[in-house]
Amino acid sequence: MVALSSCAVDTTGTAPSYARLDSLLPADTAGRRQDAQVQNRIFPDAAFYIGGKYIGTYELGIDNFTPGQGTQAVLNQTGSRYVVVYPVVRADGQAARRVQYPFYQADSSLLTLAPDGRFNLGTKVLREVKRIARPYPLAEDFEQESLSVDSGTGTRVRLQVKRDTLGRRGRFGYCYVAPGTFVRRFAQVAAKSFVRVPQNTTLPLYLELDYRSTTPITVGLYFPLQGQVQFLADVVFKASPDGWRREYVFLSDEAASIPQGTPVKAFIASTQADTSQPFYMAVDNLRLLHLGPRL
């Protein structure tokens, strides 16, 4: 966890009243940060518990509670209290579907809250839970030469590996469709191998990805059925030509609706219909995550 910058005072000066949390950084199970570039691994929201009391879930990087604007105080507690922060994601990119992200542990610190106090939790990280299933069914940040993803089926668009373009260091996957190019289905990036994943709505299954594109994209699973490949898309994200976006896609419902025991592939595809105009789709930091069985 980076920069829980302060507990400021409210207008009465009786108790700490609000907090600002700038960002949360994931780390592996040993506490090593996974990514030197903060923007590649940032969570959009965080849930606060103080003294065992749920305070709320807030967007990171903004003052969620500002003294003097009639907003109820967040903290309003004094004395020794544990401050616990959980990583929260917007499942399928929707703020209304905020859920605790199950693959990282919460971070906690013991503070002594007092009027007129200002508290800095320092630089901390959220560790991955040890039950994350390994190897990942899909794990590719494109920094390695050997790719675990390809252009998928139903397209003639070649998956390229780009470096130092679109404002990102390192490598990422890139599909470009020139005007008039024949695309039987859509520009598509998919896992090379079919894998088996949990097929139960109570077991978390997420696709984690960064994308940038001039076209909306859809995300989901596809699987073999009666000799043909079936596509099961989950959600459509809007185009993001001006910057990279990180999304978390909840796929447990889709996996549970597929015949039990069926291997699947994860895919990301464009939804561009007008092939008279050029468009591109770039993806990075793909992970299809679920938890392993309890020992």
Side-chain angles (χ1 to χ4, degrees):
M1 183 173 62
V2 174
L4 176 59
S5 59
S6 68
C7 294
V9 295
D10 65 8
T11 54
T12 65
T14 58
S17 62
Y18 81 104
R20 175 190 169 105
L21 182 66
D22 292 322
S23 62
L24 291 175
L25 280 181
D28 61 18
T29 54
R32 294 184 294 266
R33 291 185 184 178
Q34 291 187 344
D35 200 321
Q37 298 184 66
V38 175
Q39 64 269 26
N40 286 356
R41 285 283 185 253
I42 192 170
F43 290 98
D45 302 296
F48 280 83
Y49 286 78
I50 298 179
K53 178 183 177 181
Y54 173 65
I55 303 301
T57 299
Y58 311 112
E59 183 177 351
L60 300 186
I62 64 172
D63 290 330
N64 293 285
F65 289 84
T66 303
Q69 294 186 356
T71 311
Q72 183 180 358
V74 200
L75 307 182
N76 200 27
Q77 299 185 42
T78 59
S80 182
R81 297 287 188 273
Y82 275 102
V83 178
V84 182
V85 180
Y86 288 91
V88 174
V89 300
R90 302 173 183 187
D92 302 345
Q94 301 176 38
R97 296 187 60 188
R98 287 168 164 155
V99 293
Q100 181 181 334
Y101 195 52
F103 305 111
Y104 293 93
Q105 303 175 63
D107 181 82
S108 64
S109 296
L110 181 63
L111 295 179
T112 301
L113 304 180
D116 302 316
R118 183 181 179 91
F119 307 93
N120 192 331
L121 296 183
T123 299
K124 300 186 179 183
V125 292
L126 300 172
R127 296 191 181 195
E128 280 189 341
V129 299
K130 294 183 179 180
R131 287 182 56 219
I132 276 190
R134 298 178 186 278
Y136 303 121
L138 176 67
E140 187 52 65
D141 54 16
F142 296 97
E143 269 62 58
Q144 304 298 320
E145 293 295 333
S146 58
L147 295 176
S148 62
V149 296
D150 61 17
S151 293
T153 60
T155 179
R156 295 180 181 179
V157 179
R158 183 172 64 91
L159 175 68
Q160 306 173 53
V161 178
K162 290 286 188 178
R163 179 193 290 273
D164 293 329
T165 58
L166 300 182
R168 165 150 299 192
R169 299 178 185 177
R171 299 171 183 265
F172 56 88
Y174 180 81
C175 290
Y176 173 78
V177 179
T181 301
F182 172 71
V183 182
R184 191 172 70 194
R185 185 179 295 273
F186 29 46
Q188 177 183 300
V189 177
K192 282 188 175 179
S193 303
F194 284 100
V195 296
R196 283 184 168 82
V197 296
Q199 293 185 264
N200 188 322
T201 54
T202 64
L203 300 177
L205 173 66
Y206 279 86
L207 179 64
E208 199 179 79
L209 76 150
D210 293 350
Y211 81 92
R212 184 172 177 178
S213 70
T214 54
T215 172
I217 68 168
T218 185
V219 179
L221 301 173
Y222 70 92
F223 55 95
L225 183 65
Q226 299 178 349
Q228 296 188 359
V229 174
Q230 305 292 321
F231 289 81
L232 196 58
D234 178 86
V235 67
V236 175
F237 293 118
K238 65 181 181 180
S240 181
D242 299 321
W244 288 88
R245 293 174 59 92
R246 167 158 286 270
E247 299 291 359
Y248 302 83
V249 185
F250 183 73
L251 293 174
S252 294
D253 292 339
E254 284 68 31
S257 68
I258 297 171
Q260 290 295 312
T262 303
V264 301
K265 290 184 181 181
F267 75 90
I268 304 101
S270 73
T271 61
Q272 180 80 4
D274 181 10
T275 57
S276 66
Q277 300 296 320
F279 64 92
Y280 75 82
M281 176 177 65
V283 294
D284 201 1
N285 300 314
L286 303 172
R287 300 206 301 171
L288 185 62
L289 297 177
H290 63 91
L291 299 177
R294 293 185 181 276
L295 299 178

